[in-house]
């Protein structure tokens, strides 16, 4: 099956994933989603003005978040570990950005380097890749498909792995404001805040370890105790928990 190219409302392009059936980015604007939900609220430029930054990029996809992070003005080095399940994502990225040096280099060697920044691509399921990582990160960009279609990426157990890897002053950014997602982050130990995002985008979530946050609305989170269940199984576990809670 082929991926369909979509022009989003800010004029930037994205693709629809042929099996998942969702676009890689918001139809309100792919480039503006990257800027407003990840780059600006993460204060990446300010962080890079103060010292080196390590970023965990969950869901490399077509590389928009990664490329935007690399283009932030900086006086210090940025290292990105990018996690992606599908090697085809890189080929799809090249459909949109033919000849892109970042994607070409990651596809050839799993590594990219420019004058001051580096990117390492970890191909495989995030749930396994993340368990091999031990260095702390200043930022995590969490950008899988939606919790309904990509449930394994939104569980208490996966967020607990991210909590383990985040520096005390770090932040996890995601586009979702779902109650079930925030409940999972909260149970994993995170403090939850809204990311202020200009219209037409809806706000996302900033999760951190320090300071004050919102009381998350009551919701049952997704769970994946062994970090290897299918999405169907993860959703069924939650539905069974909801049934038990209502009897
Ligand atoms: C919404 S797209 C990411 C868009 C990307 N951040 C960008 O800026 O172009 C979601 C990506 O997450 C990847 N993904 C989904 N489930 C995954 C998993 N379990 N492990 C690793 N990657 C996964 C998908 O293959 C897809 O490329």
């Amino acid at each position: 099956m082929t991926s369909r190219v979509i022009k989003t409302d800010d004029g930037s392009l994205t693709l629809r994933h042929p099996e998942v059936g969702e676009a890689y980015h918001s139809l309100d604007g792919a480039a503006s989603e990257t800027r407003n939900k990840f780059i600006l609220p993460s204060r990446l430029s300010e962080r890079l003005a103060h010292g080196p930054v390590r970023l965990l990029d969950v869901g490399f996809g077509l590389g928009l978040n990664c490329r935007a992070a690399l283009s932030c003005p900086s006086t210090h080095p940025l290292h990105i570990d990018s996690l992606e399940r599908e090697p085809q994502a890189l080929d799809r990225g090249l459909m949109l950005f033919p000849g892109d040096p970042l994607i070409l280099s990651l596809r050839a060697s799993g590594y990219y380097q420019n004058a001051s920044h580096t990117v390492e691509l970890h191909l495989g399921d995030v749930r396994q890749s993340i368990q091999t990582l031990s260095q702390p990160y200043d930022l995590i960009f969490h950008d899988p498909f939606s919790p309904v279609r990509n449930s394994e990426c939104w569980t208490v157990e996966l967020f607990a792995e991210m909590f383990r890897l985040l520096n005390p002053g770090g932040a996890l950014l995601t586009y979702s404001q779902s109650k079930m997602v925030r409940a999972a982050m909260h149970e994993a130990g995170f403090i939850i805040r809204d990311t202020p995002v200009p219209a037409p985008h809806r706000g996302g979530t900033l999760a951190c370890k320090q300071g004050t946050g919102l009381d998350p609305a009551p919701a049952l989170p997704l769970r994946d105790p062994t970090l290897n269940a299918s999405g169907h199984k993860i959703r069924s576990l939650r539905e069974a928990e909801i049934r038990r809670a209502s009897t």
Side-chain angles (χ1 to χ4, degrees):
M1 275 201 276
T2 53
S3 319
R4 194 160 60 80
V5 178
I6 301 168
K7 187 169 188 179
T8 67
D9 287 353
D10 67 4
S12 59
L13 301 180
T14 189
L15 294 177
R16 188 171 297 284
H17 190 286
E19 283 97 36
V20 177
E22 289 183 1
Y24 277 83
H25 302 92
S26 163
L27 301 187
D28 292 332
S32 57
E33 178 181 50
T34 290
R35 190 169 56 251
N36 292 317
K37 292 205 179 176
F38 294 97
I39 302 293
L40 293 179
S42 70
R43 299 186 304 103
L44 178 58
S45 299
E46 290 106 294
R47 289 174 189 267
L48 281 168
H50 286 104
V53 172
R54 291 177 53 85
L55 163 65
L56 182 63
D57 174 41
V58 180
F60 176 83
L62 312 178
L64 263 70
N65 290 351
C66 191
R67 201 175 303 102
L70 290 171
S71 354
C72 266
S74 66
T75 43
H76 293 279
L78 169 67
H79 175 75
I80 305 178
D81 280 310
S82 218
L83 312 187
E84 174 54 53
R85 178 177 54 188
E86 300 186 338
Q88 305 92 304
L90 302 180
D91 299 326
R92 293 185 184 133
L94 284 174
M95 271 174 65
L96 282 199
F97 310 106
D100 178 73
L102 167 67
I103 302 181
L104 283 175
S105 178
L106 292 180
R107 200 172 62 154
S109 65
Y111 193 74
Y112 170 82
Q113 178 160 30
N114 65 18
S116 53
H117 303 332
T118 48
V119 183
E120 188 173 345
L121 178 69
H122 304 256
L123 276 179
D125 190 315
V126 57
R127 294 173 295 177
Q128 275 73 61
S129 309
I130 203 162
Q131 294 181 61
T132 68
L133 303 173
S134 54
Q135 295 268 353
Y137 293 89
D138 305 294
L139 290 173
I140 301 177
F141 288 177
H142 188 62
D143 194 18
F145 292 114
S146 74
V148 175
R149 296 292 177 91
N150 208 178
S151 307
E152 77 274 14
C153 290
W154 302 93
T155 63
V156 174
E157 292 75 13
L158 184 60
F159 285 124
E161 283 295 304
M162 296 187 199
F163 190 85
R164 170 180 71 81
L165 288 169
L166 191 68
N167 265 328
L172 180 159
L173 288 299
T174 189
Y175 63 86
S176 174
Q177 281 198 324
S178 141
K179 288 184 204 163
M180 159 177 98
V181 165
R182 288 183 168 189
M185 291 173 162
H186 185 67
E187 191 170 323
F190 283 109
I191 294 161
I192 308 296
R193 298 194 191 132
D194 287 330
T195 38
V197 172
H201 293 286
R202 288 182 297 274
T205 300
L206 185 152
C208 56
K209 289 182 158 182
Q210 294 176 338
T212 51
L214 304 166
D215 285 331
L220 284 175
L222 292 164
R223 297 180 194 282
D224 180 12
T226 50
L227 280 175
N228 64 5
S230 67
H232 176 73
K233 174 81 181 164
I234 291 168
R235 289 188 292 279
S236 312
L237 277 175
R238 179 172 181 270
E239 281 152 23
E241 207 177 332
I242 291 173
R243 279 197 298 278
R244 271 200 306 281
S246 63
T247 51

